[in-house]
């Protein structure tokens, strides 16, 4: 090996040149790699920076001897991200239908197409017939009212918490909100309902006890400073035993508005979820306003739904805070397609046939077993998740793999997220669309090195 030495102000710089026979001399130049048609297409789709980064990584692997010089272009292509964004699509095999860490409800095919169509210029606030400004999201709001006939009016904000913030700010700033102590809930990531409501300038008037709150408790608290009575569905826990909770029909006669936060976004009763409150039933019972999330049982995009009396919803929509909480055109497009289009992935997962799930698990397990993978089909239980239907267990079926597969599946080129139980990695099929069975099997084979 030949070395050259140069000295500048006492510093010796050693430059080592690779001999002509060194494979590193055969690593393709960057400009040559960037002429590869696949990388040119990727640069047009993703931008030049991520493509150049992938090329540099591939070249470095070749210099270390990890890949052959003739494999550098293929390696760079494999290193490219699927999209220009940082979010990676994953297969949800956790058995949690609405997994908050995975973005809750997956959008339907109709909603995804609607988002793509709305990505360019749209008539979101323009009447094409008259050429004048129109109400933002008017068709989505009309679709929402059609799904909930008892709602005189509807409004949409950017999430469920925002819906409650807008209601408290517009209706109760400087006044009192009466709420049962058993409904002062905390949800994920330390988010506490009392903190949210107090931040709006409203004062909370707590009544009853953790396990028992009667209509008389609410009646005794109603006064001149009462803005509304708030009912909150405890969506992520249950209190059983010696309990009592006031029904909407028992609170409406108190003479003040009743606001109901149902949380999970169920618009109408569902036979599989008899204990889950829905918007239509609450409004028929006399609630002045119902708030809910769009990315839960509705199966749509993240948004907050406000449904109720015309005067109440109108007050909220005209409040200055409504502008700060409004949704964008992509959310409106996805919401409307969810409301008017075919069934959602959430709805399909909820109503999936357990016998069919077992058949799928056995079929996939046989195919993987034939490839030498340690796998078996097992019965399992799925849950709704996302603050919906606490305590409801959905019979399901799963692939059971050694625990070490969990990390390998998450780190794969097509990430799969399962759950650990009894020292095994379970891939629950209730949350995996049947169309993705081969995709799931391919990810398992890759994790197994097959």
């Amino acid at each position: 090996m030949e070395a050259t030495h140069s000295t500048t102000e006492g510093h010796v710089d050693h430059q080592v040149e690779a001999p002509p026979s060194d494979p590193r001399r055969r690593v393709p130049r960057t400009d040559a790699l960037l002429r590869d048609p696949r990388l040119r297409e990727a640069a047009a789709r993703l931008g030049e920076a991520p493509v150049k980064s992938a090329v540099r990584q591939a070249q470095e692997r070749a210099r270390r001897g990890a890949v052959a010089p003739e494999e550098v272009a293929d390696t760079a292509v494999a290193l490219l991200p699927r999209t220009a964004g940082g979010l990676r699509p994953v297969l949800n095999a956790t058995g949690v239908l609405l997994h908050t860490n995975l973005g809750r409800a997956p959008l339907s095919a109709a909603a995804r197409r609607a988002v793509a169509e709305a990505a360019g210029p749209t008539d979101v606030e323009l009447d094409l017939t008259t050429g004048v400004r129109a109400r933002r999201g008017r068709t989505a709001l009309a679709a929402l009212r059609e799904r909930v006939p008892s709602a005189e009016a509807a409004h949409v904000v950017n999430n469920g918490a925002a819906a409650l913030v807008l209601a408290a700010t517009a209706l109760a700033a400087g006044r009192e909100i009466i709420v049962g102590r058993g409904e002062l809930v905390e949800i994920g990531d330390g988010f506490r309902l009392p903190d949210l409501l107090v931040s709006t300038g409203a004062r909370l008037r707590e009544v009853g006890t953790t396990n028992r709150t009667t209509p008389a408790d609410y009646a005794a608290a109603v006064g001149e400073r009462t803005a509304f009575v708030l009912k909150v569905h405890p969506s992520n826990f249950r209190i059983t035993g010696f309990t009592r909770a006031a029904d909407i029909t028992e609170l409406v006669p108190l003479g003040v508005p009743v606001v109901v936060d149902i949380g999970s976004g169920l618009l109408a009763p569902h036979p599989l979820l008899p204990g889950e409150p829905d918007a239509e039933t609450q409004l028929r019972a006399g609630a002045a306003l119902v708030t809910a999330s769009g990315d839960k049982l509705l199966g749509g995009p993240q948004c907050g739904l406000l449904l109720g009396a015309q005067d109440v919803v109108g007050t909220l929509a005209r409040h200055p805070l409504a502008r700060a909480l409004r949704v964008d055109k992509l959310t409106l497009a996805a919401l409307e397609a969810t409301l008017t289009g075919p069934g959602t992935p959430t709805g399909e997962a909820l109503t999936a046939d357990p016998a069919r799930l077992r058949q799928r698990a056995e079929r996939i397990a046989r195919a993987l077993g034939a490839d030498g993978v340690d796998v078996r089909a097992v019965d399992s239980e799925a849950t709704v998740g996302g603050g919906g239907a606490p305590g409801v267990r959905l019979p399901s079926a799963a692939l059971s793999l050694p625990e070490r597969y969990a990390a390998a599946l998450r780190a794969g080129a097509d990430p799969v997220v399962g759950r650990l139980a009894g020292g095994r990695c379970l891939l629950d099929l209730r949350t995996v669309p049947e169309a993705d069975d081969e995709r799931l099997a391919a990810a398992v084979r890759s994790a197994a090195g097959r």
Side-chain angles (χ1 to χ4, degrees):
M1 183 171 292
E2 178 183 349
T4 61
H5 305 273
S6 61
T7 304
T8 303
E9 296 181 350
H11 175 71
V12 178
D13 180 25
H14 298 276
Q15 297 178 337
V16 180
E17 295 182 0
S21 60
D22 194 315
R24 290 176 294 179
R25 282 185 172 273
R26 295 190 291 113
V27 174
R29 292 166 51 92
T30 299
D31 56 352
L33 289 166
L34 292 177
R35 287 195 293 270
D36 185 294
R38 296 168 298 173
L39 294 174
R40 285 207 309 269
E41 183 277 330
R45 177 169 47 89
L46 304 172
E48 292 186 0
V51 173
K52 289 181 177 179
S53 175
V55 166
R56 286 194 295 270
Q57 292 178 60
Q59 290 170 324
E60 182 57 31
R61 291 187 184 186
R63 294 186 184 104
R64 296 199 310 266
V67 299
E70 57 270 19
E71 297 174 345
V72 172
D74 292 340
T75 301
V77 171
L79 288 171
L80 289 170
R82 291 179 57 171
T83 68
L87 297 177
R88 297 185 64 189
V90 305
L91 269 177
N92 175 14
T94 64
V96 180
L97 274 62
L98 302 169
H99 200 300
T100 299
N101 301 136
L102 301 181
R104 291 186 181 159
L107 293 181
S108 67
R112 296 183 190 197
R113 286 193 295 270
V115 168
E117 289 291 328
T122 70
D123 60 343
V124 64
E125 288 187 19
L126 178 68
D127 186 327
L128 294 175
T129 301
T130 63
V132 300
R133 186 169 184 168
R135 185 182 181 188
R136 186 181 186 86
R138 56 203 177 279
T139 55
L141 295 176
L144 187 55
R145 292 196 304 274
E146 186 172 341
R147 287 284 299 272
V148 187
S150 295
E152 297 176 359
H155 189 67
V156 181
V157 291
N158 54 23
N159 61 24
L164 204 49
V165 162
L166 181 58
T169 304
L171 303 177
R175 303 178 68 194
E176 288 184 348
I177 299 173
I178 300 175
V179 60
R181 287 192 172 89
E183 298 174 9
L184 294 172
V185 299
E186 176 179 325
I187 58 176
D189 200 28
F191 178 87
R192 293 183 170 181
L193 180 67
D195 298 338
L196 177 74
L197 295 173
V198 169
S199 73
T200 68
R203 177 187 173 190
L204 294 187
R205 182 76 177 270
E206 302 174 20
V207 298
T209 63
T210 301
N211 59 319
R212 290 180 64 82
T213 305
T214 68
D217 293 322
Y218 290 94
V222 171
E224 293 182 357
R225 294 182 59 78
T226 301
F228 60 81
V229 170
L230 176 63
K231 284 287 294 177
V232 180
H233 176 53
S235 58
N236 56 3
F237 69 95
R238 290 189 303 172
I239 299 177
T240 60
F242 185 56
T243 63
R244 172 70 159 94
D247 189 75
I248 301 299
T249 57
E250 297 175 308
L251 298 177
V252 170
L254 296 179
V256 295
V258 178
V259 176
V260 184
D261 178 26
I262 63 172
S264 67
L266 196 62
L267 299 186
H270 195 290
L272 293 180
L273 306 171
E276 192 72 10
D278 65 275
E280 177 67 17
T281 299
Q282 302 305 309
L283 290 171
R284 283 187 179 181
L289 180 70
V290 170
T291 65
S293 294
D295 58 346
K296 296 184 181 180
L297 286 172
L298 177 59
Q302 176 182 296
C303 59
L305 312 178
L306 297 115
L307 301 149
Q310 180 69 57
D311 59 338
V312 175
V313 176
T315 298
L316 305 184
R318 291 188 298 270
H319 193 277
L321 186 60
R323 175 62 180 248
L325 301 178
R326 76 178 189 179
V327 294
D328 71 334
K329 61 180 180 179
L330 303 183
T331 301
L332 290 169
L335 175 61
E336 183 174 355
T338 299
L339 293 165
T340 63
T344 66
T346 299
E348 293 170 359
L350 182 63
T351 58
D353 179 14
R356 179 61 179 169
L357 295 174
R358 180 72 194 204
Q359 291 172 1
R360 290 171 54 198
E362 290 174 349
R363 184 180 68 248
I364 298 171
R366 283 195 301 270
L368 291 174
D371 293 334
V373 178
D374 177 7
V375 60
R376 59 180 182 267
V378 299
D379 292 329
S380 65
E381 285 188 336
T383 59
V384 173
V392 173
R393 300 292 176 180
L394 303 169
S396 187
L399 301 175
S400 175
L401 297 156
E403 185 173 350
R404 67 178 183 276
Y405 275 76
L409 286 166
R410 291 196 307 271
D414 192 8
V416 177
V417 182
R419 71 175 187 269
L420 297 178
R424 301 282 289 183
C425 170
L426 299 185
L427 305 180
D428 196 304
L429 296 187
R430 186 174 278 271
T431 50
V432 178
E434 187 167 355
D436 285 332
D437 281 357
E438 183 50 44
R439 177 183 167 196
L440 178 66
V444 173
R445 290 189 186 96
S446 178
R450 299 293 189 270

